[in-house]
Every structure is written in structure tokens, then in C-alpha cells.
Amino acid sequence: MNLAELERLEIESVLEEIGVPRFHGRQIFRWIYRRGVTSFNEMTDLSLALRAKLAEATTIESPSVSEQQTSSDGTTKLNLRLADDRHIESVYIPDTPAQTFCVSTQVGCAMACGFCLTGTMGLLRQLTAGEIAGQVRVLAHTTKLADSAFNIVLMGMGEPLHNYDATMKALRILADPDGLALHPKRMTLSTVGLLPALERLATEPLMPNLAISLHATTDEARSRLVPINKRYPIEELMAALRRFPLAKRRRITFEYVLLAGVNDTPDDARRLVRLLNGLRAKVNLLPLNEAPGIPFTRPSDERVNAFARILAERDVRVSVRKSRGRDIRAACGQLVVEGQKPSTRRRLAEAHDVN
Ligand code: SAH
């Protein structure tokens, strides 16, 4: 049994099953998440006999850093190796006052958005809860930020709502006060808007901030850029978001990648204002991060500013995302691990009933 896949109470149950008092579960959980220790040998407040017994009956798996690259702006990208030799990418974005970790939820992604490099990989496999939470653990301890305030954004590789159970379990592990104690206010889940999963999210006791990858204002345009729109069109998505239970003072973020000549006209901006009417929303404009093989270009700064101004003048909160880590391909939509064969892509996509 791999203890890194379990919530604290589940660890306690495993201990009970192997005849170890439950209270050691909290100690072990603290070692793993607060101290970043994944070897029983180093858990010095457990007796030697207990450490030996645990090592015999259980394991603690951890993604391992196989490559680390730091951008000129301080953004650091980790290439992490998983137990089955698959690789994923996770990013540390330093900023003041808060630091942000951007983590992946899948190896690759099945959504195939037209401007996203990860989408070109297809879905290779789902990440487990332990692998999702493990990225945050490794990032927090690699950067020595485990004891300070940080945010996480599920904006790395993958579509979190297409890996629902593992994603939510990872968030519960990260929120545990005996571990990294990450407040849900510091978590952001970004999604293309898989409606059944979004309805389910609306009922969760642990509620992260919500970001919606909208990217277009008509179904025709959105279906071309974000193919899942054919199944869950804009009007249904917006209706679900209007029903979504928002805590006080929280807003839904709408991400909008700006593509020159495609979705960046003043008409698009005005349609976006109308779509958001009556919603507690903020818009995050993402001028395209260009990449080889992506058939779109980034609009000029003037064009981006003109789009932002139309929103701001109509009282829509808007920000333009600073692109971080572009020189090491760590920016939005640039995470991709080359050389991994999409052998299971079709099978997985079918199993999850997408595409
Ligand atoms: N699948 C989820 C999580 C990934 S988040 C989602 O789509 O929301 C990654 C964010 O970066 C998304 O908003 C995505 O649309 C955006 N993105 C993808 N490719 C990009 C690119 N080339 N330039 C800028 N942003 C991009």
C-alpha cells in the first residue's frame, strides 16, 4: 500500500489493519507533507521496530525531479518522473506577495484545444491523487516554501474535471491541517467546463476557486478552439455557472486566450461583456504564447489593450496575464513532454466518454 495515495484518515485505517496504533498516522502524514520526508528511515520519532514494520508493509512513492530549469524571470519548471517512467511538468512561479505552484492533473490532455501544446500530446494517462498532491509537496520542499503562504493552480498539463476523483482527493490531502494545510481560497481549478463534473463540483464541501477557459464568445468560434464546446455549448456552460454556489466575495475567473484575428475584435469584447452580465466574474486575458506547430499568432500589445479597455469601460474586472517562463517553455499551454507515445490515448478517451 502506497501511503502517498491516501488521506490522513485512510493512512490511520491502514495502520490499524497492520496492527499499528492509529495515532502514528498523523506523525507519518506530517513527515510526508510538512517535512517532505518519504523514507521511513528518517522518521526519527517512530521506533526502529515500527519503521521496519512500515517499510515492510507499505511504501511512500514520490515523483522525482528528473530535470529543473529556471527562467530569466525566476520561474522554475520541474520535469518529474513518475513510478511508471512517465514524465509530467510542474511550475513554480515566484511573485509577491504570494508564490504560485502550477500543477498537472493528467499526462497529456484529451481536450485538444487548438492553441495548446499539451493538447497535441493527447491523453496518455490520468494522474493519481498522490501524484497530483505529490507535485505540490515536491515543489514546496524543493523551493523551501512549505512553511510559507503559497497558491496552487491546476493549470498545468491536463483537464482536472476529466480526472475528477483523483483531483478532489489531492485537494483534500493538500488542505489537511496536519499536512501543507493549504486553504481552499489558495487553490484554483481551471477547466474547459465539463458540465456534469462542474455540477458535481458545485456540491463539494471543499471548494477551490473556479477558472473557466472560455476563449471565444460564439459557439462557432469556441467549438473550433475548444472542441468540447460541441458537447457543452456556451449557453449551457454559462447557465451552469450562474447556478454555481459562489462564496462571499469570490468571483469566477474567465480565461481568454487572445489569438490575432480570431477572437480579439472589439465585437468579441462586447459579446464577452454581455455573456458575463450578472455574474460575479473577472476576466484574465492571455495573449497567446506562440509555439511551433500552433497555427495562431499573438496579437499586438495595442490590440490586447484595446480589448481589455472595452471590458474595463463596462465595469468588467480584467487583467492581462503576465506570461512567465516563456524562455523555458513553462508558460500557459506550453507544457509538453516530448517522446511519450500516445498509445493509450484513444482507449482512455473512450473510457471517459470524451472527444
Ligand atoms: N484544461 C484546463 C487546465 C489547463 S489551464 C483548462 O483548459 O482550463 C491552462 C490555461 O492556459 C488554459 O486557460 C489554457 O486555455 C491556456 N492556454 C493553453 N494554451 C495556451 C497558449 N498557447 N497561450 C496562452 N494560454 C494558453
Side-chain angles (χ1 to χ4, degrees), residues 135-197:
Q135 293 168 68
V136 179
R137 167 166 52 77
V138 169
L139 279 163
H141 291 283
T142 305
T143 57
K144 302 201 170 18
L145 288 170
D147 296 322
S148 42
F150 58 81
N151 302 316
I152 66 161
V153 293
L154 303 180
M155 296 188 185
M157 304 165 74
E159 165 50 51
L161 292 188
H162 188 204
N163 187 14
Y164 189 93
D165 292 325
T167 296
M168 293 312 297
K169 182 170 184 176
L171 297 185
R172 290 193 295 274
I173 290 173
L174 293 169
D176 191 312
D178 281 304
L180 288 166
L182 190 62
H183 196 284
K185 272 195 290 202
R186 294 195 169 275
M187 306 171 174
T188 299
L189 184 154
S190 178
T191 175
V192 291
L194 303 182
L195 285 197

Side-chain angles (χ1 to χ4, degrees), residues 109 111 113 115-117 154-160 190-192 211-213 215 255-257 286-291 294 321 332-334:
C109 184
M111 297 298 121
C113 298
F115 44 80
C116 178
L117 212 51
L154 303 180
M155 296 188 185
M157 304 165 74
E159 165 50 51
S190 178
T191 175
V192 291
I212 301 292
S213 287
H215 308 319
E255 297 161 277
Y256 195 100
V257 173
L286 295 78
L288 177 74
N289 294 314
E290 296 179 354
I294 298 299
R321 186 173 296 174
C332 297
Q334 297 195 309

Side-chain angles (χ1 to χ4, degrees), residues 35-52:
R35 311 283 291 272
V37 164
T38 52
S39 142
F40 294 115
N41 271 334
E42 294 171 47
M43 301 188 179
T44 46
D45 58 356
L46 306 180
S47 73
L48 285 172
L50 177 53
R51 287 184 237 169

